[in-house]
């Protein structure tokens, strides 16, 4: 079957790729663009491991088709650090040991950044609500929430 040619922006760079009509954005990122930081947990929109931001909106890349990325701007976990300088959220996750196996971590970080962009001073409850779509099976949520609150404080210069 003929493949579709798609042009999109990924982490600020214009990329072109070929994909099957039924190929998800998650599979395109991982298999066609070799951006394997975005993880597959469930493949059914339940776990948030595959979270990316598309045109400013947080969504599960396992629920979006690659062809739907045409003309869109996508942010993945690979675009979070600036060169070798980690994003404050990434630093705080390390400091608070807010990860264990790491499968959920990229999605949690992408969702946390989206949350802090909307709300730079979230309460603990707002952090928990903002990350409610991201399931972690092995760390528990307390350290994750602490890390996000600490990063938010640092980013506000508080
Ligand atoms: S892999 Fe997409 S929500 Fe779980
Ligand atoms: S660190 Fe393993 S699922 Fe979250």
């Amino acid at each position: 079957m003929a493949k579709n040619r798609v042009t999109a922006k990924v982490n600020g760079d214009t990329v072109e790729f070929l994909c099957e009509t039924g190929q998800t954005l998650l599979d395109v990122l991982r298999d066609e663009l070799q951006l394997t930081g975005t993880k597959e947990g469930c493949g059914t929109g339940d776990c948030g491991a595959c979270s990316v931001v598309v045109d400013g909106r947080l969504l599960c890349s396992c629920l979006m088709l690659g062809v739907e990325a045409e003309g869109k701007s996508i942010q993945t976990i690979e675009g979070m650090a600036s060169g070798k300088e980690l994003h404050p959220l990434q630093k705080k996750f390390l400091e608070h040991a807010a990860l264990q196996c790491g499968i959920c971590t990229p999605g949690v970080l992408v969702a946390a950044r989206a949350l802090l962009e909307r709300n730079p001073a979230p309460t603990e409850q707002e952090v928990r609500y903002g990350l409610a779509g991201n399931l972690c099976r092995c760390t528990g949520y307390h350290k994750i929430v602490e890390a996000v609150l600490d990063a938010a404080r640092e980013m506000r210069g508080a």
Side-chain angles (χ1 to χ4, degrees), residues 19-40:
C19 68
E20 309 276 356
T21 304
Q23 208 170 357
T24 64
L25 176 61
L26 172 62
D27 287 342
V28 165
L29 290 171
R30 293 181 56 83
D31 301 338
E32 310 300 334
L33 300 175
Q34 282 69 56
L35 293 171
T36 54
T38 305
K39 305 298 185 208
E40 176 164 9

Side-chain angles (χ1 to χ4, degrees), residues 99-105 135-139:
L99 66 161
Q100 196 164 310
C101 78
I103 293 289
C104 69
T105 308
L135 305 184
C136 175
R137 293 166 180 85
C138 57
T139 293

Side-chain angles (χ1 to χ4, degrees), residues 9 31 51 61 128 135 148 157:
K9 270 203 170 166
D31 301 338
S51 298
S61 59
R128 289 185 186 277
L135 305 184
V148 174

